Amino acid sequence: MSYANPDALVSTEWLNDHLEDDGVVLVDGSFHLPTANRDANAEFLEKHIPGARRFDIDDICDPTSDLPHMIPTAEMFAEKVGALGISNASKVVVYDVYGMQSAARTWWMFRLFGHDNVAILNGGMPKWLADGHSLVGGAAQASPATFKATLNPALVRSIDDVRRVLDDASEQVVDVRSAGRFTAAEPEPRAGMRSGHMPGALNLPFNELLEKADKTLLPAEAIQARIDSAGIDLDKPVTASCGSGVTACVLALGAYLIGKDDVAVYDGSWSEWGGRPDTPIVTD
């Protein structure tokens, strides 16, 4: 079994060969959980893959929301990515410092706003370094470009959408947090969050779709096997959820690789559901 959509990933070899190609734009989409006590923007200035621009999901977001990195308007997304030198003709390649974590969120955001010519560096910065390539420091340089964005509402879900699909069972809601967080055996990393999961949600921790050794995506047959073992039917609608809408996108990516291109993401995810007093929670 091979990937149905292999262009969603590029290898370190491909990137090294095409890093200076006209039309290829590399972005660093790294994000750290609050408990990591790390600054992704400062780390970018210290070291990044040559030619990369910084895509900060906490900057390219809705500034009016109290929830973390909620999606911006199409107009704001277009303005922000245009300032990074990205046009509608660009081939965007995304990586993060973990190998595969928040890069998927950046990939999903481009697809959400109508740009399908986007891929992820498989294995991210750790694989780039392991394969003998170098890093540089300093601020990114980019000439502004024009980007036109159109939101695809089919790829995103609100809390009202999730309430509805849980009530009428019209979609499968898949939580990609760890099994411990899903069952409330482990605490949430964000202060004030209740523990547990949404009634009726399935659980497939996002890291189960990755190779343990180098955080690259599993082969297609292994992704399919993990999805099947979690009780997920890809012939039916799927909404992915996580802590704050970041690693949910890894499930969207994994499903996309094996041919399902319409997995939606609950943008508020557990930061919204677990932070409210009026949402039902199961702990088991």
Side-chain angles (χ1 to χ4, degrees):
M1 180 179 181
S2 58
Y3 290 141
N5 293 304
D7 290 345
L9 296 176
V10 300
S11 67
T12 57
E13 293 79 10
W14 185 95
L15 182 61
N16 188 58
D17 290 342
H18 296 275
L19 198 55
E20 297 183 5
D21 287 5
D22 289 340
V24 173
V25 180
L26 178 66
V27 298
D28 180 324
S30 300
F31 162 78
H32 304 301
L33 285 169
T35 51
N37 294 316
R38 295 174 62 176
D39 184 333
N41 289 323
E43 291 177 5
F44 178 85
L45 291 175
E46 181 182 351
K47 55 184 180 181
H48 55 263
I49 297 177
R53 296 108 193 247
R54 176 78 180 116
F55 188 103
D56 182 359
I57 64 171
D58 282 326
D59 174 61
I60 305 176
C61 66
D62 178 1
T64 68
S65 177
D66 293 333
L67 297 169
H69 38 256
M70 294 288 282
I71 60 167
T73 63
E75 292 75 17
M76 181 180 181
F77 185 84
E79 178 184 351
K80 293 284 188 177
V81 302
L84 296 177
I86 298 171
S87 74
N88 296 94
S90 299
K91 179 177 180 62
V92 180
V93 178
V94 191
Y95 75 90
D96 67 46
V97 299
Y98 290 103
M100 177 56 66
Q101 185 168 291
S102 54
R105 170 75 180 194
T106 304
W107 168 85
W108 171 77
M109 287 180 70
F110 274 97
R111 292 192 64 239
L112 178 68
F113 287 107
H115 192 77
D116 290 332
N117 194 8
V118 55
I120 290 179
L121 176 62
N122 203 10
M125 183 186 284
K127 188 74 164 60
W128 176 262
L129 289 171
D131 289 345
H133 304 298
S134 62
L135 302 175
V136 298
Q141 303 296 322
S143 299
T146 299
F147 187 94
K148 294 182 180 179
T150 303
L151 177 70
N152 179 358
L155 294 182
V156 65
R157 296 287 181 268
S158 68
I159 189 169
D160 291 336
D161 295 328
V162 174
R163 286 183 191 270
R164 174 180 52 80
V165 301
L166 287 172
D167 286 344
D168 64 17
S170 58
E171 294 184 14
Q172 303 159 99
V173 176
V174 183
D175 190 327
V176 308
R177 293 175 302 150
S178 69
R181 290 171 66 186
F182 184 80
T183 61
E186 300 171 2
E188 287 297 304
R190 290 178 174 82
M193 294 293 106
R194 294 177 294 161
S195 297
H197 62 269
M198 291 172 267
L202 302 171
N203 184 220
L204 176 56
F206 80 92
N207 56 10
E208 292 189 11
L209 300 179
L210 309 177
E211 297 283 3
K212 291 182 179 179
D214 61 8
K215 301 299 186 289
T216 55
L217 269 294
L218 292 175
E221 61 272 13
I223 291 175
Q224 183 70 64
R226 298 293 195 280
I227 286 173
D228 290 344
S229 67
I232 304 164
D233 184 351
L234 293 186
D235 290 330
K236 298 177 180 178
V238 175
T239 292
S241 182
C242 60
S244 64
V246 175
T247 55
C249 301
V250 177
L251 175 59
L253 172 64
Y256 182 86
L257 287 169
I258 61 173
K260 186 172 180 61
D261 62 3
D262 60 354
V263 170
V265 171
Y266 172 22
D267 197 29
S269 282
W270 200 255
S271 292
E272 182 171 35
W273 193 277
R276 293 176 56 145
D278 62 339
T279 47
I281 288 179
V282 177
T283 57
D284 58 29

